[in-house]
Amino acid sequence: MIKMERFFKDMAMAAAQLREQENVERIAAEKSRAEACQKYDQERRRAFGKLKNAKRQERRRREVERNQRNKEQYAKSLGCLDYIDEWLIVTQAQTTPANFDLAKKALIIPESNDLNYTVSHIVGNYVIYTAVIRGNVCQIALLAEKGKVYPSGSKFDIKSVYQITGVERFSKIFGGNVDIIVVERKGEILFTDFYKKPLDVQARLWR
């Protein structure tokens, strides 16, 4: 009888241990499945994020290329070889006697920074714009258009495009002369540039 009771107790204990082991294994399996699901979700989100970013970059690349084509076509429609969409100060700095004839064939597309140029004075048919950039005084002369007024201090029109026509020598107020690049307004900007480059415009124009 005692042996029988001990047998039943041993059986009950073994069953309890088995159930406990099953519970441990079940909990471990559920934890493993949860971790696997979490890892899968993370990888899926990461892959989706990369795909979304790749699509965004591709859209941006196509937009940049489209804007470049629009600018090139517009420049050629106005009889220009190519275009420059840098600051006027950069255009002036890179225009030298060696490449001046080539620079005259480029359509100049100003940037928002060119609003620093304001009308300082008018000499004959030329409107002189002056800007102080990093302590340097920069000037550019614009051929005045008939019927258009250029109030003193008014900002350079960056909604238009320009072309270099030559260089004129002007007398300084306090004596001496200065040579200033002259530009002519060719038309209005007909496109919107959402994304800035860098482009290889300088390499194509100045070599």
Side-chain angles (χ1 to χ4, degrees), residues 114-177:
D114 293 324
L115 290 172
N116 290 318
Y117 285 85
T118 58
V119 175
S120 54
H121 53 286
I122 297 176
V123 181
N125 293 327
Y126 302 99
V127 183
I128 309 301
Y129 286 84
T130 303
V132 179
I133 301 175
R134 296 179 181 176
N136 297 316
V137 177
C138 306
Q139 290 184 311
I140 197 162
L142 172 69
L143 282 171
E145 298 180 58
K146 282 186 178 181
K148 188 171 182 179
V149 296
Y150 302 88
S152 179
S154 59
K155 296 182 181 296
F156 192 80
D157 178 14
I158 63 170
K159 294 182 180 180
S160 297
V161 291
Y162 304 86
Q163 187 175 7
I164 295 174
T165 62
V167 174
E168 287 291 333
R169 180 163 294 179
F170 297 91
S171 298
K172 294 182 179 179
I173 296 176
F174 300 105
N177 299 314

Side-chain angles (χ1 to χ4, degrees), residues 31-41:
K31 183 179 179 181
S32 178
R33 282 196 298 271
E35 291 175 349
C37 290
Q38 184 180 12
K39 184 177 180 180
Y40 171 77
D41 288 340

